[in-house]
Amino acid sequence: MRRLFGFILLLFITGVFAFSQKSGGMWIPTELNEKEMKELGLQISVSDIFNTTRPSIKDAIVQFGGGCTGEVISPRGLVLTNHHCGYGEIQSHSSVDNDLLTNGFWAKNNKEELPNPDLSVTFVTEIHNVTQAVFANTANLSGAETQKVIEKNIEELKKDFPKKSYQHIVVKPMYADNQYYAFVSETYRDIRLVGAPPQSIGKFGSDTDNWVWPRHTGDFALFRIYANKNNEPADYSEDNVPFIPKHYLPISVKELKEGDFTFIFGYPGRTSEYLPSIAIEQIINDLNPVRIAIRDITLKTLDEKMRQDNATRIKYAAKYAGISNAWKKWQGESKGLKRSNAVAKREKYENELADKNPEIKSILADFRRLYAEQKPYAVNNALWGELSRNSETFYLAALFNRISQMQANGSLTKDKSDELKAEIRQIYKDYDKTLDAKVTAKIISYYIAQLPKQFLPLDYAKYTDENRNLSLFEKWNKKSMVTNNYNDLDKIFADTQKLANSIKKDPFVIFYNNLLEAYNANVNEKYRGIQEQINGLQKSYMALQMATDKEKVFFPDANFTLRVSYGQVHGSKPADGVEYSYQTTLDGVVEKYIPDDYEFDVPQKLLDIYHKQDFVPYTNAQGKVPVAFTATNHTTGGNSGSPALDAQGNLIGLNFDRQWEGTMSDIYFDPELCRNIMVDARYILFIIDKFADADWLLDELTIVK
Ligand code: ARG
Ligand code: GLU
């Protein structure tokens, strides 16, 4: 009897522990994998997560500013997101004298909240699978014709969809264009900054700790949605009032344990989970290395001056963070793909599929041929993208070039001019032409060195040496209109013909055009042609995978639409001899503290609180303040600011990053290595309460004990 009991107990224990998720997934909220979610610990129903007939959790989730996620956490429209998602706004309210990045910002009442003209948040109210309507009348059409009919069908569908005046419809392809979904959404445009910790909390560890676990960053900021008197979206106005949400998230300060269920609700941007192995190989061996190299050069050049000069540091802060972010991710991605043997494992899976379905065999052969043919063009394409992004001078040259082209073909309307002017002003605001000349001089010589000569402009040999480039660009800088940061753009735009004439003579524009022409003629067309064929293949391959592998539950790749990922709180063993626990605490902040360091300084007030041990009630079972934790949720860029919710739908954390060893999850999710990183909700409350003394904000929140 005792033996039998022991045996059953053993079964029970292994049964409980053995059930961990098999793979990742970013699920459309109307098609959740409820069975697995429940097995992993979800206690509410999926209809509490997404519902169109009564308030549900989705009514608290917003796409924040286009690239991030945020969530409503109070009945007065208070929105929580990451510090790094509000970074541009915090920076834009900062100057050397009033440096909100360094000092933080806490409005003391609604009046002190700061408006942000370019910021908006979007709620989704409905999701519909509209595949049939989108594919109507496309049977037996050729590829190009099909595309035209699809576009027409989408336009009609959008027109006919019942909606309120302030709603809009977005139709997005899923499963590599095999299905289409319509999202009804509402965008609020008056969003104000309410609070942000100093970056020594909100960006603690900065680029050194970015993508890294163990982590100690309080990466959060608070905003508020304002609406008109009818609670509808409106342009900024002093008369607007705090928005009243259908639902807001209660915040839990309960103990968090290894294995606890959690889910993430937000807007993952891009993943490629269904690529053939040959594509993964190319990313590791050919594309990531050149992208990383260009950014290496750019970052080193910027860093030198940012460290010497405070004004440059502020000007380039957001740009630097952006460039370094993907730079570091790609390095982790390549490493993780290698470590988890992603290519070999994917090949094995391909062979199994091909054995079951001969059609897949021939598709895989086509993939191999096309990727090989595309490789040199793909490398150039990656480099070109980096060149145009990292050189602000080229970015400006491209913009001005557009102006002169539009003038020539008569499309430079007054509105267009205003738009372009605004865009140029935005760049000039944080632009240092001497510094950028250095970046440009270096990366152009790298670009030339990497490419087959027949891809380059005829006179490429003049630009191979970075020092020579720099003295040339400095000379050009003296007369160029593109880099000359005109305060009076209105004046130069007054006569657009004259403007277009001077643009055509600008040395940077001429240089940029030569490069662009060579790229277009020798690379771009070829690259795109092959890419179109690859996309077509990927569509068939996706459909065939779904038809052939009956055991797997498929989710569509991320595409900036609303998704749910789920998993459990877990640490990890990312390398031989290394074991990470799932949680960090304030102790670690103090351990990492380096006085006056630009990344690891800690505000004196936080140190004082730490030494007084004034922590209650924001402690874990050991009496420490938890700062961050990891779980097995499958997330990607765009999920920043997404709420981490518990089995009951309470907010327990704020997603802001992934663990470096697992950043390959965009391509290959490995539950052993991939972890998302969240700020613990208790740390957020602790900072608002003890550090910022912002009681008026705490009073708005619902805390679950
Ligand atoms: N790695 C995070 C994400 O992908 C945080 C980025 C912001 N922080 C930074 N140091 N650049 O967006
Ligand atoms: N930091 C990322 C973002 O801005 C989220 C982390 C990730 O890529 O997983 O969206």
Side-chain angles (χ1 to χ4, degrees), residues 275-292 330 333-334 337-338 342-343 347 367-382 527 530-531 534 667:
L275 290 176
S277 55
I278 172 87
I280 303 181
E281 230 176 299
Q282 198 168 89
I283 291 168
I284 302 174
N285 297 332
D286 306 308
L287 303 181
N288 277 354
V290 294
R291 292 185 182 126
I292 292 165
W330 290 325
E333 180 176 272
S334 293
L337 287 169
K338 285 183 204 155
V343 173
E347 256 168 14
F367 269 133
R368 240 167 264 131
R369 176 177 53 78
L370 285 172
Y371 273 105
E373 197 187 325
Q374 194 192 33
K375 184 169 122 177
Y377 306 102
V379 170
N380 194 341
N381 184 62
Y527 171 79
I530 302 174
Q531 191 57 42
I534 290 178
I667 295 165

Side-chain angles (χ1 to χ4, degrees), residues 84 203 205-211 215 219 320-322 324-325 329 636-638 640 656-658:
H84 81 261
K203 207 186 168 196
S206 192
D207 293 311
T208 299
D209 267 10
N210 189 23
W211 297 113
R215 190 65 156 279
D219 193 346
Y320 187 95
S324 102
N325 193 41
K329 192 199 95 165
T636 188
S640 274
F656 71 104
D657 213 357
R658 271 172 291 164

Side-chain angles (χ1 to χ4, degrees), residues 147-343:
Q147 206 42 45
K148 261 193 223 141
V149 176
I150 286 178
E151 275 159 32
K152 200 175 119 248
N153 288 343
I154 291 178
E155 279 324 302
E156 266 162 29
L157 202 142
K158 282 189 184 172
K159 260 200 329 246
D160 299 343
F161 227 91
K163 58 175 193 285
K164 312 226 172 67
S165 62
Y166 52 85
Q167 293 182 319
H168 49 270
I169 314 277
V170 183
V171 176
K172 290 260 196 160
M174 303 275 181
Y175 299 105
D177 297 348
N178 284 293
Q179 297 195 30
Y180 283 80
Y181 282 71
F183 296 80
V184 182
S185 50
E186 301 176 358
T187 296
Y188 286 78
R189 306 184 294 277
D190 184 353
I191 313 299
R192 304 185 196 168
L193 177 64
V194 177
Q199 54 181 352
S200 49
I201 292 174
K203 207 186 168 196
F204 182 72
S206 192
D207 293 311
T208 299
D209 267 10
N210 189 23
W211 297 113
V212 167
W213 185 258
R215 190 65 156 279
H216 298 86
T217 315
D219 193 346
F220 80 96
L222 294 167
F223 287 80
R224 194 186 301 281
I225 306 173
Y226 279 77
N228 68 17
K229 300 237 152 71
N230 303 323
N231 207 34
E232 287 164 3
D235 285 331
Y236 170 81
S237 157
E238 273 187 39
D239 300 333
N240 287 346
V241 290
F243 166 72
I244 303 165
K246 291 199 209 89
H247 179 74
Y248 64 91
L249 301 179
I251 303 177
S252 164
V253 294
K254 283 190 239 175
E255 180 65 352
L256 191 67
K257 295 183 301 300
E258 180 114 25
D260 280 356
F261 177 78
T262 131
F263 68 105
I264 300 283
F265 207 169
Y267 285 86
R270 291 253 170 268
T271 58
S272 318
E273 308 288 344
Y274 304 101
L275 290 176
S277 55
I278 172 87
I280 303 181
E281 230 176 299
Q282 198 168 89
I283 291 168
I284 302 174
N285 297 332
D286 306 308
L287 303 181
N288 277 354
V290 294
R291 292 185 182 126
I292 292 165
I294 284 215
R295 291 196 183 203
D296 253 332
I297 302 170
T298 308
L299 290 168
K300 275 196 197 107
T301 314
L302 296 181
D303 184 62
E304 250 167 51
K305 182 148 186 202
M306 286 171 71
R307 288 203 193 209
Q308 286 162 9
D309 177 53
N310 232 353
T312 311
R313 179 184 60 78
I314 293 177
K315 265 189 184 176
Y316 277 79
K319 275 183 280 198
Y320 187 95
I323 298 170
S324 102
N325 193 41
W327 166 80
K328 196 160 178 186
K329 192 199 95 165
W330 290 325
Q331 296 177 53
E333 180 176 272
S334 293
K335 219 178 142 183
L337 287 169
K338 285 183 204 155
R339 193 184 151 74
S340 60
N341 271 325
V343 173

Side-chain angles (χ1 to χ4, degrees), residues 69-216:
T69 307
E71 53 277 1
V72 185
I73 54 166
S74 94
R76 305 187 64 236
L78 194 63
V79 168
L80 177 65
T81 188
N82 289 140
H83 184 270
H84 81 261
C85 293
Y87 201 69
E89 281 74 30
I90 303 168
Q91 184 202 351
S92 77
H93 296 294
S94 295
S95 61
V96 173
D97 297 329
N98 180 28
D99 187 351
L100 307 188
L101 290 172
T102 302
N103 306 323
F105 169 76
W106 301 97
K108 289 193 200 58
N109 49 51
N110 289 135
K111 282 238 152 46
E112 287 188 6
E113 297 171 353
L114 302 172
N116 303 286
D118 298 321
L119 183 61
S120 64
V121 304
T122 299
F123 292 90
V124 161
T125 58
E126 291 168 47
I127 302 176
H128 301 275
N129 187 331
V130 293
T131 309
Q132 274 198 352
V134 170
F135 283 135
N137 308 318
T138 56
N140 310 323
L141 295 184
S142 76
E145 285 171 328
T146 306
Q147 206 42 45
K148 261 193 223 141
V149 176
I150 286 178
E151 275 159 32
K152 200 175 119 248
N153 288 343
I154 291 178
E155 279 324 302
E156 266 162 29
L157 202 142
K158 282 189 184 172
K159 260 200 329 246
D160 299 343
F161 227 91
K163 58 175 193 285
K164 312 226 172 67
S165 62
Y166 52 85
Q167 293 182 319
H168 49 270
I169 314 277
V170 183
V171 176
K172 290 260 196 160
M174 303 275 181
Y175 299 105
D177 297 348
N178 284 293
Q179 297 195 30
Y180 283 80
Y181 282 71
F183 296 80
V184 182
S185 50
E186 301 176 358
T187 296
Y188 286 78
R189 306 184 294 277
D190 184 353
I191 313 299
R192 304 185 196 168
L193 177 64
V194 177
Q199 54 181 352
S200 49
I201 292 174
K203 207 186 168 196
F204 182 72
S206 192
D207 293 311
T208 299
D209 267 10
N210 189 23
W211 297 113
V212 167
W213 185 258
R215 190 65 156 279
H216 298 86

